[in-house]
Amino acid sequence: MTVVTVEVGDRPLRQINREIRALASTATEIVVTDPLSRHNLAVALTEDTPVRILGNVGYYCGGLNSGGVIHVEGDCGWGVGEAMARGKITIDGYAGMSVGASMRGGLIHIKGSAGPRCGVAQKGGDIVVEGNIGYLSGFMAHTGRIITLGDAGDATGDSLWEGAVWVAGDIKSLGVDSHPVEPPAEEVAEVEELLDGLGLADSTRDWKKVVSGQRLWYFESRDSSAWLMI
Amino acid sequence: MADDLSINDSPNGLSHEDLVALRDGAVDGRPAGIPTSYDHGESIRWTPKDIADIHAMSRLGRYQIRGFTTANRRMANWNDLVFVPATATRLPLEGYRESCDTKTVLGDRPGLVSNPIELDIPIYIASMSFGALSASAKAALGRGASKVGTMTCSGEGGMLPEEREASKTMVYQMTPSRYGLDLEHLRQADGIEIVIGQGAKPGTGGLLLGMKISDRVARMRSLPVGVDQRSTVRHPDFLGADDLLIKIEELREATDYRIPIFVKLGATRPRFDVAMAAKVADVIVLDGAEGGTGASPELLLDHTGIPTMTAIPAAREALEESGMSGEVKLVAAGGIRNGTDAAKALALGADAVMIGTAALMALGCNSPRYLEDYQKIGTSPGKCHHCHTGRCPVGITTQDPFLETRLHVDPAADRVARYLTAMTMEITMLAKACGKSSVHNLEMEDLRALSLDSSALTGVKLAGVDRPFTW
């Protein structure tokens, strides 16, 4: 068991991330201290050595993650886990805009609430938000699941492709060409299984799954009025 | 005696109105008018195209979509500029004998990137996606570019293995849609191009119609097969210049400060946009309104953006004003057809040029073969702009497996290589005539403008009077 500490403070970012990447292949856990809301911490990790960050982080924490397991004991700024392919990111606090933007795989778990555009352009993987998600969450999400145990803001699921926004609470308003459906039992079971793994089991939730109406998927002359929605 | 007009009022039995009308072939039942004038209406406002456009919109219920490039005839024209080679007051180099350096380095901002890109020629292949282009076309461009020591760029659809394998040097494009964006692909790249906009449709995202969303294209973009894909124009996780700076830092961290970062802009307000981008990027790619595309709303092609040759001097001024000239490199693109256009772009202030449409022509785009297939899509060689349909008769802008077999990769790669060589020869011929031992020494003083417009728009001196047209 080798737990090593990387101090952030005002040291050069390049040095900090190089240390994290190098230690990821030797240590059993990396503890990152004094993060001072710095941007771009722990980006582009490929090893699954746990990285625990003690405090708030800025933009793009865990960006381009390809296998890293990151736990932020604080809040995070924009684009946490953006373009993530594999791995897991946990945020104990709140998250800013564009959680998991364009992510392709892995899991992002926000224990607080997430800002607008949560899961924007998502292309796979799962985002679980214990609190609320902001406006335009799921905007143009291709595939994957955005799951909130709280409420969803305005324009939820705007212009979706095949992604889905799962909402246990209330939806303030739906986005263009999206609508809620009652999810099939087997899909609910899969979501509950995922939540169970995070210690969030509760079989009494009333799920709404927001999906695309597919009216904007095609330029269709017989339905040209659909384009007036946007 | 006064003439009695009534006497011959009706010679041959014709009425007064018949006589006024001259009976020149009037058709019974048609409204009054001189019949031949129906063929020559030619209102400058209601042209046959404008009328046909209304008919098309009233059928489709949407704007028209097509590929290729602008049809706006008022775009400033490279032909309005000429070189003024060395004569008595400047010494030319021997055009057929002496050498002229064409080496081009991008991303050599001091102390930032460990592996700047070194190209043998000042021209490279523009970003065009797999999806817009067939895999064979991408591979042929890569092989052709590699043969002459230059590079390609992935385009929006992600990194195609065939292109990466074929391209000695390759820039990976990060568009707002982020299709297939992958750390491994970033690390395989020799440069990263962040797209803020493109010349063909600045301010609007990419477009790929369902006919071209094949299984493979859909898989690479995580899209349902056959949908009309309309990409975002804003990036999902940054908005303004401050955020862009942080995003670039992330990419530099992910690639360990090894490869340069390009920022691609559609030419609209180059003075301001370039000044901003110069603060954060290693290379700025400025794509003028003549830039081509596989598909776009037609109105954007024809009515948005400013011409390439007007954008370059403005961009160069912005670099000078921000003190980044020489450090941040400027790549110009959009409507460059040959070495002459490229040389003019370099003289106006570009460090390199990027060619897209011209490279497709070298592959065989619009070549006079498979005439019946051109006819099927309502066009003919030399006029085809049907990239958006995916029915490319010569296998370049298609995902149809049968049509794609018509592009033979090796010969096509040779055509691209020879064309790039010929272009480079044209550039050096002009540079040497102007007395320059490097193509990068071409300057605005080597040019003169043939029209008031082109002088006013570029700042190039008017031919003869040797002063730029100002007001």
Side-chain angles (χ1 to χ4, degrees):
Chain A
M1 187 75 181
T2 322
V3 179
V4 289
T5 298
V6 174
E7 163 76 16
V8 176
D10 58 359
R11 297 167 65 219
L13 178 71
R14 194 173 174 184
Q15 199 177 335
I16 296 158
N17 278 330
R18 274 187 169 179
E19 284 174 16
I20 294 173
R21 283 200 295 270
L23 290 166
S25 53
T26 55
T28 50
E29 187 185 23
I30 301 165
V31 177
V32 179
T33 61
D34 210 13
L36 297 180
S37 298
R38 295 276 299 270
H39 302 307
N40 294 321
L41 287 171
V43 300
L45 298 183
T46 54
E47 309 281 341
D48 62 0
T49 306
V51 176
R52 196 151 56 90
I53 303 178
L54 308 183
N56 301 332
V57 295
Y59 287 11
Y60 312 132
C61 177
L64 293 157
N65 188 21
S66 294
V69 178
I70 301 165
H71 187 156
V72 177
E73 297 185 1
D75 304 327
C76 67
W78 290 9
V80 62
E82 69 87 22
M84 172 157 104
R86 289 175 297 283
K88 183 182 175 188
I89 298 176
T90 307
I91 306 293
D92 282 352
Y94 290 79
M97 187 180 85
S98 301
V99 168
S102 199
M103 69 184 284
R104 291 167 41 237
L107 171 66
I108 300 178
H109 176 194
I110 311 288
K111 294 189 178 177
S113 291
R117 297 178 138 227
C118 180
V120 57
Q122 186 184 23
K123 296 173 179 69
D126 293 302
I127 298 172
V128 173
V129 179
E130 293 189 37
N132 305 323
I133 55 177
Y135 60 83
L136 276 169
S137 286
F139 176 65
M140 290 190 84
H142 295 235
T143 57
R145 292 177 295 197
I146 301 157
I147 301 162
T148 175
L149 309 188
D151 301 332
D154 276 317
T156 296
D158 196 284
S159 303
L160 280 168
W161 293 113
E162 290 174 311
V165 186
W166 289 68
V167 184
D170 296 327
I171 299 168
K172 190 170 179 196
S173 71
L174 290 165
V176 167
D177 199 25
S178 71
H179 64 275
V181 295
E182 193 173 325
E186 59 270 29
E187 290 187 21
V188 173
E190 286 169 12
V191 166
E192 289 296 348
E193 186 185 345
L194 173 71
L195 295 174
D196 192 20
L198 299 173
L200 299 169
D202 178 355
S203 60
T204 65
R205 292 189 185 103
D206 178 21
W207 288 111
K208 291 159 282 290
K209 181 189 176 191
V210 179
V211 298
S212 173
Q214 304 188 13
R215 287 182 75 200
L216 297 181
W217 282 20
Y218 308 95
F219 286 110
E220 173 55 75
S221 58
R222 282 163 296 181
D223 192 16
S224 60
S225 61
W227 291 88
L228 299 179
M229 291 192 291
I230 57 176
Chain B
M1 189 172 109
D3 289 345
D4 184 351
L5 296 176
S6 65
I7 293 172
N8 292 316
D9 188 42
S10 189
N12 306 319
L14 295 173
S15 71
H16 175 77
E17 284 304 316
D18 285 335
L19 287 168
V20 170
L22 300 175
R23 295 293 289 173
D24 57 349
V27 178
D28 289 341
R30 273 180 83 163
I34 297 183
T36 50
S37 73
Y38 290 118
D39 296 331
H40 298 284
E42 292 188 2
S43 158
I44 58 166
R45 186 165 306 279
W46 300 99
T47 64
K49 179 183 182 306
D50 293 309
I51 294 165
D53 281 348
I54 292 175
H55 292 160
M57 283 193 286
S58 58
R59 204 180 95 218
L60 296 170
R62 61 162 167 80
Y63 41 74
Q64 292 197 78
I65 292 167
R66 67 170 171 82
F68 202 38
T69 180
T70 183
N72 188 332
R73 289 169 185 270
R74 293 304 303 270
M75 285 289 166
N77 192 328
W78 293 108
N79 295 350
D80 282 344
L81 300 176
V82 290
F83 281 95
V84 281
T87 47
T89 52
R90 288 186 169 207
L91 192 64
L93 298 185
E94 292 289 350
Y96 303 120
R97 297 286 181 280
E98 288 182 284
S99 65
C100 178
D101 189 18
T102 58
K103 191 176 135 185
T104 301
V105 183
L106 302 174
D108 53 343
R109 201 169 176 162
L112 197 55
V113 171
S114 61
N115 298 354
I117 291 173
E118 288 193 13
L119 305 176
D120 293 341
I121 60 174
I123 314 157
Y124 69 91
I125 309 295
S127 44
M128 294 176 281
S129 75
F130 166 63
L133 267 55
S134 65
S136 302
K138 292 291 279 175
L141 290 172
R143 279 189 219 176
S146 299
K147 278 177 192 233
V148 293
T150 191
M151 67 177 180
T152 60
C153 183
S154 69
E156 181 166 47
M159 185 177 275
L160 187 76
E162 289 95 316
E163 187 183 25
R164 175 63 278 192
E165 193 181 322
S167 302
K168 183 169 161 283
T169 309
M170 183 174 168
V171 171
Y172 181 70
Q173 198 178 48
M174 194 179 92
T175 61
S177 56
R178 310 271 173 93
Y179 297 131
L181 180 64
D182 185 89
L183 176 62
E184 203 48 46
H185 293 161
L186 289 175
R187 288 179 172 171
Q188 287 171 13
D190 301 290
I192 299 169
E193 180 182 276
I194 301 176
V195 177
I196 306 295
Q198 69 176 113
K201 43 182 180 293
T204 304
L207 179 62
L208 191 67
L209 296 182
M211 298 84 91
K212 295 172 86 170
I213 310 279
S214 65
D215 287 348
R216 189 178 185 197
V217 172
R219 203 162 52 246
M220 280 181 67
R221 300 183 186 219
S222 313
L223 282 169
V225 174
V227 296
D228 292 327
Q229 167 237 297
R230 294 148 289 113
S231 303
T232 49
V233 64
R234 286 203 307 273
H235 281 264
D237 55 358
F238 69 82
L239 300 175
D242 294 347
D243 317 333
L244 176 60
L245 179 62
I246 301 167
K247 172 56 65 178
I248 288 177
E249 183 186 57
E250 182 197 5
L251 296 171
R252 292 197 195 282
E253 286 289 326
T255 53
D256 206 18
Y257 294 79
R258 192 172 49 79
I259 57 177
I261 308 289
F262 295 49
V263 168
K264 181 179 179 182
L265 304 166
T268 54
R269 296 178 186 81
R271 283 292 287 270
F272 303 110
D273 294 342
V274 169
M276 182 283 275
K279 302 289 183 196
V280 297
D282 303 313
V283 182
I284 295 169
V285 180
L286 191 60
D287 192 16
E290 304 97 316
T293 180
S296 170
E298 186 170 38
L299 71 161
L300 301 180
L301 283 171
D302 294 346
H303 300 286
T304 61
I306 67 170
T308 307
M309 78 180 214
T310 68
I312 299 170
R316 178 53 60 189
E317 279 181 24
L319 287 173
E320 296 284 353
E321 285 167 6
S322 57
M324 301 311 285
S325 218
E327 293 196 11
V328 172
K329 295 296 174 68
L330 178 67
V331 177
I336 292 170
R337 299 162 296 182
N338 48 45
T340 313
D341 292 350
K344 290 170 185 175
L346 297 182
L348 287 173
D351 293 299
V353 301
M354 201 170 74
I355 55 163
T357 303
L360 299 190
M361 301 286 178
L363 284 179
C365 166
N366 266 293
S367 56
R369 300 170 294 147
Y370 310 110
L371 301 183
E372 67 286 1
D373 286 335
Y374 280 100
Q375 283 165 7
K376 276 185 202 162
I377 52 175
T379 186
S380 57
K383 294 177 181 168
C384 184
H385 54 273
H386 288 46
C387 329
H388 61 296
T389 65
R391 304 306 302 159
C392 177
V394 291
I396 296 170
T397 58
T398 183
Q399 299 302 323
D400 181 293
F402 171 71
L403 292 174
E404 189 177 346
T405 60
R406 292 178 175 176
L407 185 75
H408 303 291
V409 175
D410 277 330
D414 269 342
R415 285 197 296 273
V416 171
R418 289 180 202 181
Y419 171 65
L420 288 168
T421 304
M423 267 187 91
T424 307
M425 282 177 72
E426 290 186 328
I427 300 172
T428 56
M429 169 131 284
L430 290 164
K432 285 186 277 191
C434 293
K436 305 296 161 64
S437 60
S438 163
V439 296
H440 300 295
N441 293 343
L442 284 166
E443 56 185 325
M444 287 243 293
E445 175 53 34
D446 294 322
L447 294 172
R448 290 295 181 274
L450 299 179
S451 68
L452 298 182
D453 284 2
S454 56
S455 177
L457 292 168
T458 60
V460 169
K461 292 174 181 174
L462 266 172
V465 300
D466 266 2
R467 291 191 299 275
F469 179 78
T470 55
W471 50 85

